Amino acid sequence: MKSDTSAKTFDLGGTSWTMRHFLEGTLDIHSPKDLPKAKLKAIPATVPGNYELDLMAAGELKDPLLADNCFALRPLEFHQWWYERTFNTPKLENPELVFEGLDDIADVWLNGVKLGSTDNALIPWRFEVAKHLAPVGKKNVLQVCIKSPVNACRDKQIEPWCRGHDFDGGRLFLRKPPHCNGWDIMPRCLSGGIWRPVYLRERPTNEVINCYFVTRRLQPGVKAWINVFYNCHCSSLTLDGLAVRVSGSCGKSKFSETRNVMFSSGLIAFDLQKPVLWWPAGYGEPALYDVTFELLQHGKVLCSKKFRTGIRTIKLDRTDLNTPEHPGRFQFIVNGVPVFVKGSNWVPADALHSRDAKRIPKILKLFKEMGCSILRCWGGNVYETHQFFDLCDEYGIMVWQDFAFACWSNLQDQEALDRYRPEIEHVVREYRQHPCIALWAGDNEVDSALWGWHGPTDPAKNRINRELIPQIVDRLDLERDYLPSSPYMTPPAVALNLDIHQTPEQHLWGPRDYFKSNFYANNTACFASEMGYHGCPATSSIQKMMAPKYVWPYQNNPQWDIHSTNPCPHTIPSSGRIELMTKQILEMFGEVPTEFHEYVTASQIVQAEAKKFFVEIFRQRRPFTGGIIWWNMMDGWPQISDAIVDYFFQKKLAFHYLKRVHKPLCGIIAEPEAWNANVLMCNDSLQERTGHLTVTRGLKREVVLDVDFRAPANGNIQVGQIRMPRSENELYLLEWTANGKERGVNHYISGTPPFSFATYKKWLKLIRELDPFDWSC
């Protein structure tokens, strides 16, 4: 939501900062006046930043994301960090000091006066400064003391309710991104610093505090019922003569509504005739209105706010059960239309989050290129900024937003709930205006932790996702649905003692055996919100991330372990992910290449075929299925993982295969039954498509199906059958045209393992020639 509130700001970021640090407890430093006697070395610092980046720039730390350098971060977890800069007071009216991200346990000092303390890295912090600033044009000293997060909570008591990773319970007492304590996709990097912008902000005498534009009801093509909720600060001695005006335009569609009001907060309700609607990718254009809200007094504009938003309705149609007796359902309804969504999980853009802002636009372009209609902001991350949501609005990417709780059953006492409350309220208020946000979800896999991994404990006892969050969402956001957990164990499911893989929405990890095994091919999910398969990054990326002597071979290789699932020494077991990936290669090809490049190639082939198959089976099963959000698009640090684009932005083979099967119109060959395989045209759009499909077999491209088709809007149709014995290991290529201009391609590998690796490489040449793409590993 790009906004203009007319408030002036004075940036306090840049390279004018210095940083000092020491092992906490070794020096008697409690305030800025104690610093000079300590004679600590001051090193240059950059804001926004992280202390690791400053230490790297000073030559005191090697890049913690490479080799085994992340282990060097552990001693720094016990350090205290003092940031300092000077600035001359600008001419601002009633300024406040704003930290958009301060990580984490910190005290803020201005000119020797303590302004306050922070204890949450995930939300902004504001401080009153007017009476503490020097006169305009005079020098000020701003200092920030960031304390050891481990020391800050080392005496806290963990309760039996709290269950999760057994190597570090400290995260329960810290509001930092959950992944920073170490995860199977991220290194342990507790970090610290002023990681988002810091500035002085003028608080005008009159200001639009917030404005919430919401589509309450919709009759597509006819009318939208709009509510605009607003809160303003007005400095007038009386509130007489007030009026509010909201106006907007999207192409030829325009509106302007003015109301005389007697109070500075309230509601405008109006009807908009023939609105232009916001649609997710594949279903139409993500139309956005440029909106201006104004507060007037006696006809004069006192303050205004500009933003972009979309007119649409999104509902989640889901059931509590998913059993043979009670078939499940989990589907998004957009503007009254059931849509099939395809996309990826959004994980940390970088382990050092001050670098997120530069990486996010490039990563989201990958989602756009892929044709994703949805992404899921995983609950182990930070909350992204308007930069992220603005781009999702523009690209037509629906956002499933988890709150930042993941895999642990967090503290339940009132003190903890009161600490979480302002965080949840901030996130909902700040981002609810974005049309891309489709769903609020309480957490990632906390129900799974309580009911499955460490249970059975009834997840309904979780006060965070069953009481606190839904009450806030209901109060602050009128239109979005709320899912308590992902996956969600409903009361009826708990009463029937069902497994987490018997819910409508599932995380499909399982044994990670052959990707067409029973677990994957015959899963019962109506919707998969996590589903992945490992594949190596490019050889050039592996050479960047590991010390030369550890690049190859992978066996008994500590750096391959570190950069797969073991970023915390002697604590997180490696889970055998490299061994699992090797077994997956063996399962498909009956052999494991011993040469570096060949091994990487084989792993990428297996990953690409697996993820393509996952999307295809969910598309085939419409309308029982409502979509798939696979794991995952992009790595947040250099690693060997399920991601299809590595940290260095090298695309794996799976990116190109998935891009083909993400297209709104896709030809798919189903698994054979009774000697034959059905051929489907799947159409995830609102337009009927007529065209022609050709299917060929083998290296000689023998034509086995040549047929015209008419694919109904928003549905699937069988267009033919191909005789296909299961014993036949063969390549099938699909090519189609539709509506005179649209072209698509896909492929299918028939038969059962083992497949010849040498033959597949020949097939791969044909697969790439269908619609050439740039790929190397």
Side-chain angles (χ1 to χ4, degrees), residues 52 63-74 77 165 167-168 176-191 348-353 355 378 380 561-569 571-572 635-639 647:
E52 294 90 344
D63 190 335
L65 305 193
L66 303 181
D68 59 1
N69 300 338
C70 61
F71 294 168
L73 298 178
R74 174 61 171 173
E77 294 177 8
H165 300 156
F167 65 90
D168 185 10
K176 297 168 72 75
H179 74 81
C180 70
N181 291 73
W183 218 271
D184 58 1
I185 64 162
M186 296 297 287
R188 181 174 175 87
C189 183
L190 283 182
S191 194
D350 200 292
L352 300 172
H353 284 290
R355 300 194 290 201
W378 170 67
D561 280 345
I562 292 165
H563 290 274
S564 59
T565 58
N566 192 14
C568 299
T571 53
I572 304 178
D635 283 326
W637 83 303
Q639 63 170 332
Y647 179 78

Side-chain angles (χ1 to χ4, degrees), residues 339-404:
V339 299
F340 185 92
V341 294
K342 305 175 289 290
S344 173
N345 280 268
W346 179 270
V347 302
D350 200 292
L352 300 172
H353 284 290
S354 65
R355 300 194 290 201
D356 289 356
K358 290 184 178 179
R359 290 175 60 85
I360 282 173
K362 191 172 181 180
I363 299 172
L364 280 177
K365 283 183 180 178
L366 296 170
F367 282 77
K368 182 182 180 183
E369 181 184 349
M370 178 67 66
C372 292
S373 53
I374 195 169
L375 60 78
R376 171 177 174 253
C377 288
W378 170 67
N381 196 7
V382 299
Y383 301 109
E384 304 298 357
T385 65
H386 288 294
Q387 172 201 38
F388 170 87
F389 293 105
D390 286 339
L391 288 171
C392 290
D393 289 341
E394 294 171 13
Y395 294 163
I397 302 174
M398 295 165 56
V399 174
W400 165 327
Q401 178 66 58
D402 284 359
F403 290 96

Side-chain angles (χ1 to χ4, degrees), residues 602-743:
S603 77
Q604 288 204 16
I605 288 171
V606 176
Q607 181 193 43
E609 287 288 348
K611 292 199 164 183
K612 182 176 83 75
F613 177 71
F614 297 160
V615 173
E616 288 175 335
I617 58 173
F618 274 84
R619 292 192 73 167
Q620 291 171 49
R621 294 175 182 172
R622 291 192 66 186
F624 174 73
T625 51
I628 177 172
I629 306 175
W630 36 268
W631 192 281
N632 62 307
M633 178 70 77
M634 184 83 194
D635 283 326
W637 83 303
Q639 63 170 332
I640 301 157
S641 72
D642 302 274
I644 62 171
V645 181
D646 69 37
Y647 179 78
F648 304 104
F649 286 94
Q650 289 292 313
K651 296 174 180 175
K652 302 180 188 178
L653 184 62
F655 181 92
H656 303 286
Y657 282 16
L658 282 169
K659 183 178 175 181
R660 291 178 172 183
V661 296
H662 261 234
K663 286 191 172 183
L665 181 67
C666 186
I668 293 173
I669 296 178
E671 292 301 288
E673 293 289 344
W675 304 102
N676 292 291
N678 294 333
V679 182
L680 308 176
M681 294 303 298
C682 301
N683 183 6
D684 298 340
S685 78
L686 298 182
Q687 294 182 333
E688 180 185 77
R689 277 160 157 96
T690 59
H692 188 84
L693 169 71
T694 301
V695 182
T696 61
R697 176 169 54 207
L699 296 173
K700 295 183 178 180
R701 303 290 305 274
E702 172 195 358
V703 176
V704 294
L705 185 66
D706 199 45
V707 63
D708 292 329
F709 64 83
R710 183 181 296 273
N714 209 22
N716 298 344
I717 188 170
Q718 182 180 331
V719 297
Q721 277 192 335
I722 299 173
R723 183 167 178 78
M724 190 180 296
R726 292 182 182 273
S727 60
E728 174 193 64
N729 287 5
E730 190 57 275
L731 168 70
Y732 289 81
L733 301 176
L734 298 84
E735 299 178 79
W736 62 89
T737 57
N739 293 3
K741 57 182 179 179
E742 181 179 353
R743 179 176 181 271

